[in-house]
Amino acid sequence: GGTGSGKTTLVNLVPHFYDVTEGSVRVAGKDVRAYDPKVLRDKIGVVPQKAVLFSGTLRKNMQWRDENASDEEIWRALEVAQAAEFVRKLPDGLDTVILQGGKNLSGGQKQRLTIARALVGSPEILILDDSASALDFATDAALRQSIAALSRESGNNMTVILVSQRANTVRYADKIIVLDDGRAVGIGTHEQLLADCEQYGEIYWSQNEENEKGGQE
């Protein structure tokens, strides 16, 4: 959906940041209002639209969800988030000091690190709220492939909720929800929505018409 369509509002109901006005939101079959807030939020890794890093070492930032996370776990998360390569090039690696707000990093680097931080501790639900907007298309695609592979791993049933204005970012999702002015106007796969949802078709073709004409993705 476009800007202001309600995407962030919808996903913020999952960790129960506020209440629904009607109906219910359930995690593992249980109404989020019935959970202890800490128990519920420990299950969820949230990557907000605005990448926020704290002053301190890169390692400490990565241990925000799990203070006992090992370097091995951190590097695994960095690999999935497409951040390991640039972190290895930093003179102090995981001991690199991050300035308040991540001022000494680029926008794309901050986004990848916040994604990695959310992955540390193996959340049951990962919410990516338009959190790859500063990444180029190739890195965005590699990130999605790595997260999909992680969620398919044996014993890992992580649910990924991906918010984006880019149709290509969500086109391979199991289920796509199209929002328009706070309402779901289409729910289905990419192929189903192209056939049945006018709003999805408009978004997709406006972003892909030239590529499709050229026979490219």
Side-chain angles (χ1 to χ4, degrees):
T3 301
S5 60
K7 302 185 299 295
T8 297
T9 300
L10 182 63
V11 297
N12 279 344
L13 295 172
V14 180
H16 196 201
F17 289 154
Y18 41 80
D19 274 331
V20 295
T21 53
E22 58 184 276
S24 64
V25 176
R26 296 175 182 272
V27 170
K30 181 177 177 180
D31 194 311
V32 294
R33 290 169 289 193
Y35 278 94
D36 175 279
K38 185 179 187 309
V39 172
L40 174 65
R41 291 165 191 169
D42 280 350
K43 295 175 177 290
I44 304 169
V46 180
V47 186
Q49 290 177 333
K50 182 176 174 56
V52 178
L53 294 170
F54 311 109
S55 57
T57 65
L58 197 155
R59 180 185 286 103
K60 281 297 182 186
N61 267 275
M62 292 299 104
Q63 291 174 324
W64 183 60
R65 289 190 73 249
D66 181 2
E67 62 183 15
N68 297 313
S70 66
D71 284 5
E72 182 181 357
E73 291 176 84
I74 292 170
W75 280 112
R76 171 67 173 139
L78 290 170
E79 290 281 1
V80 172
Q82 310 301 302
E85 184 177 354
F86 86 78
V87 172
R88 288 194 185 95
K89 292 178 181 177
L90 297 174
D92 297 318
L94 295 180
D95 292 316
T96 298
V97 174
I98 305 297
L99 299 180
Q100 183 68 38
K103 292 177 182 176
N104 51 335
L105 298 168
S106 72
Q109 288 172 335
K110 286 191 287 187
Q111 283 195 333
R112 281 175 280 173
L113 288 178
T114 55
I115 292 167
R117 182 176 62 195
L119 288 166
V120 172
S122 301
E124 295 176 28
I125 299 172
L126 177 66
I127 298 174
L128 301 174
D129 186 3
D130 206 12
S131 52
S133 58
L135 305 184
D136 60 64
F137 287 104
T139 304
D140 182 21
L143 170 67
R144 285 182 279 113
Q145 289 171 2
S146 292
I147 289 174
L150 179 66
S151 65
R152 288 194 300 265
E153 283 182 1
S154 177
N156 188 329
N157 294 314
M158 182 173 68
T159 297
V160 181
I161 301 174
L162 186 61
V163 174
S164 183
Q165 295 184 49
R166 295 177 181 173
N168 280 342
T169 296
V170 301
R171 68 175 293 178
Y172 297 110
D174 297 311
K175 184 177 291 185
I176 302 169
I177 302 174
V178 185
L179 296 182
D180 184 46
D181 195 23
R183 295 182 178 277
V185 294
I187 300 176
T189 64
H190 170 72
E191 290 76 15
Q192 290 168 340
L193 291 170
L194 270 187
D196 301 330
C197 180
E198 181 182 351
Q199 289 90 337
Y200 184 78
E202 288 175 357
I203 293 169
Y204 179 77
W205 290 115
S206 69
Q207 296 172 357
N208 289 277
E209 191 169 9
E210 290 303 316
N211 284 341
E212 294 286 348
K213 284 178 180 176
Q216 300 171 0
E217 169 63 14

